Amino acid sequence: MFADTIRITAVKTLVVNAEMRNWIFVKVETDQDGLVGWGEASLNWKTRAVTGAVEDLEPLLLGKDPRDIEQILRTLNKHSYYRLGIIGATAVSGIEHALWDIFGKSVNLPVWRLIGGKVRDEVRVYTHLGLGDMKSVYETFDPSALRDKALQVVEMGYDALKVVFIPYSHYTVDIPSRRHVGRMMETLRDAVGEGVDIMIDFHGRPASVSAALQYIEELIPYRPMFCEEPVQPGDTEALRMVSERAGCPIASGERLVGFKEFEPLFQQKALNIIQPDLNHTGGILEGKRIAAAAEQAFMGVAPHNPNGPLAGAAALHFDISTPNFVIQEEMSGAVPWYDDVVSTPMRRVGSAWQVPYTPGLGVEINEKEAAKHPFKPEVMHTLGAVLADGTVVDW
């Protein structure tokens, strides 16, 4: 048993290079022997900025009771004075995960019990081509390679997968590009059959509503589960126009920070599925607020998560306790030594995570093993987002 009064004594970061991405683990220590919490604050190409943000926020946490999560979040957001943006919000998210981990451990309960309890018996998940290999995810534009990689995912037991094969685009779409997208989708559907759901991530590449709709027209005959981020985030009206005309569900939200950035989507009913990233949008508690508002706007929730294992654990507890949850993105086993560095509560049976009952988030970190994979600069995939005439476009 732990004392009635618990105080935070330190907040630290541990960076683990997972080959194509750095994982930023956040460790919150307390004055109780053995009571620490772990969270994740990974943000691609911003590793040093986020670890610096966590260090800057640490003085606001020292001496606080880690179970006063709402009060701590108000302190982190309001006493920073300037709005935190994606870097600061990611740092806060990782800290918040760790606070829930401590809370659960302190009362010997899994986090999902503390945030609403269980509303489902398993959590449906999907993954990407290459099972997390970033080159496969972002650089598969050949139909035969697409087919082979998709079949590998299905053979692993998944009944849903997501692909990124929309070309780097501008304001208009040429006929060959449209036809290529159609061929890719036809190949994919023929390979996996109708029993596997397919999601297409546009990555915000089209620079206009008309360009997005032209690509969607090619995909519709093959019944996508949803098309994701067909236009850049932030333009609610453009997203609403796509959703109204698409003929299939539209999803977005991974790059939005906090409830306030999601609110216009709910007010205009601008899409069908929201995709908050609990690693970036402020944490689990903010995610629950977003999900509740989405439910009132007749929207499902499919949390974004191409991040590391602790982000996955946080998403698992969120999904178990969220009524309008649809499906969860995941990248477990993204590197061969995954299980040497971290043990997680995610146990997959077929295409579903099972419900864990271990206290807290259920994560254990082997810091000695983690030290074998120190920080490295990540691969800059974005450098390829250039058209033939030299125009830099959205990645």
Side-chain angles (χ1 to χ4, degrees):
M1 295 293 294
F2 297 104
D4 291 337
T5 301
I6 302 172
R7 300 298 176 195
I8 295 172
T9 58
V11 182
K12 301 175 181 178
T13 56
L14 174 63
V15 176
V16 177
N17 179 257
E19 297 179 6
M20 302 297 287
R21 188 181 294 264
N22 285 309
W23 296 334
I24 305 173
F25 297 154
V26 178
K27 182 181 184 182
V28 176
E29 299 179 351
T30 75
D31 60 357
Q32 305 296 301
D33 287 342
L35 183 59
V36 301
W38 286 97
E40 183 171 335
S42 302
L43 182 62
N44 40 306
W45 307 304
K46 304 293 187 296
T47 300
R48 287 164 287 197
V50 173
T51 56
V54 172
E55 185 177 354
D56 287 339
L57 292 170
E58 183 189 27
L60 297 173
L61 292 153
L62 298 178
K64 298 284 195 303
D65 190 318
R67 298 164 298 182
D68 293 332
I69 297 173
E70 185 79 71
Q71 183 76 337
I72 288 174
L73 289 176
R74 288 179 64 83
T75 299
L76 293 177
N77 283 284
K78 292 182 177 297
H79 288 184
S80 297
Y81 184 60
Y82 291 103
R83 295 202 175 172
L84 293 174
I86 187 64
I87 292 170
T90 299
V92 169
S93 298
I95 292 168
E96 193 249 23
H97 298 167
L99 301 182
W100 282 112
D101 191 31
I102 290 171
F103 190 2
K105 290 172 180 175
S106 72
V107 293
N108 201 36
L109 290 172
V111 167
W112 58 261
R113 283 283 186 205
L114 308 177
I115 57 174
K118 184 174 68 170
V119 299
R120 58 183 44 81
D121 295 324
E122 61 181 14
V123 171
R124 191 183 184 204
V125 298
Y126 71 89
T127 193
H128 299 256
L129 301 184
L131 300 169
D133 172 69
M134 304 304 285
K135 291 188 106 145
S136 296
V137 173
Y138 295 111
E139 298 172 22
T140 300
F141 293 100
D142 174 72
S144 61
L146 178 73
R147 178 187 180 88
D148 292 344
K149 291 173 182 177
L151 288 174
Q152 290 173 8
V153 171
V154 175
E155 287 168 4
M156 290 287 290
Y158 292 93
D159 64 10
L161 58 89
K162 188 162 76 180
V163 293
V164 187
F165 56 55
I166 301 300
Y168 297 124
S169 303
H170 212 26
Y171 292 89
T172 59
V173 180
D174 58 65
I175 293 175
S177 294
R178 290 181 59 182
R179 295 289 181 256
H180 181 71
V181 166
R183 284 194 299 272
M184 293 284 279
M185 187 64 176
E186 180 182 21
T187 298
L188 193 55
R189 178 57 73 198
D190 287 347
V192 303
E194 295 192 350
V196 174
D197 279 317
I198 301 170
M199 292 143 277
I200 294 76
D201 188 351
F202 280 52
H203 237 236
R205 290 174 180 174
S208 66
V209 169
S210 60
L213 289 170
Q214 284 179 305
Y215 285 129
I216 291 172
E217 184 180 6
E218 297 289 335
L219 301 169
I220 288 297
Y222 308 101
R223 298 166 299 284
M225 182 178 183
F226 59 71
C227 290
E228 175 179 326
E229 211 173 40
V231 292
Q232 281 288 306
D235 191 332
T236 302
E237 179 66 13
L239 191 57
R240 185 186 62 77
M241 291 171 67
V242 173
S243 297
E244 288 180 348
R245 304 174 193 182
C248 73
I250 299 297
S252 191
E254 68 183 64
R255 289 191 257 181
L256 301 183
V257 175
F259 182 88
K260 285 189 177 297
E261 293 193 5
F262 280 89
E263 192 172 19
L265 301 177
F266 306 143
Q267 292 172 342
Q268 296 195 36
K269 294 183 171 56
L271 73 168
N272 309 104
I273 297 172
I274 62 163
Q275 297 176 292
D277 190 318
L278 305 177
N279 204 46
H280 303 315
T281 202
I284 295 171
L285 197 57
E286 192 74 355
K288 294 290 285 187
R289 292 183 180 124
I290 292 165
E295 186 174 19
Q296 297 306 306
F298 302 99
M299 297 178 189
V301 183
H304 177 258
N305 176 42
N307 307 306
L310 275 75
L316 169 62
H317 289 267
F318 171 89
D319 301 339
I320 291 167
S321 63
T322 301
N324 54 331
F325 166 79
V326 176
I327 195 168
Q328 175 64 55
E329 179 177 20
E330 68 105 34
M331 283 191 176
S332 59
V335 286
W337 39 264
Y338 189 100
D339 294 329
D340 298 331
V341 168
V342 57
S343 63
T344 68
M346 290 93 78
R347 184 172 65 88
R348 182 172 61 86
V349 176
S351 199
W353 282 342
Q354 304 305 294
V355 176
Y357 290 89
T358 49
L361 292 177
V363 174
E364 294 180 13
I365 304 292
N366 186 326
E367 296 185 59
K368 183 177 180 180
E369 287 295 320
K372 296 178 181 178
H373 308 279
F375 166 81
K376 292 180 184 177
E378 294 159 304
V379 177
M380 296 295 290
H381 296 280
T382 54
L383 297 177
V386 181
L387 302 183
D389 66 357
T391 300
V392 174
V393 294
D394 288 304
W395 175 62

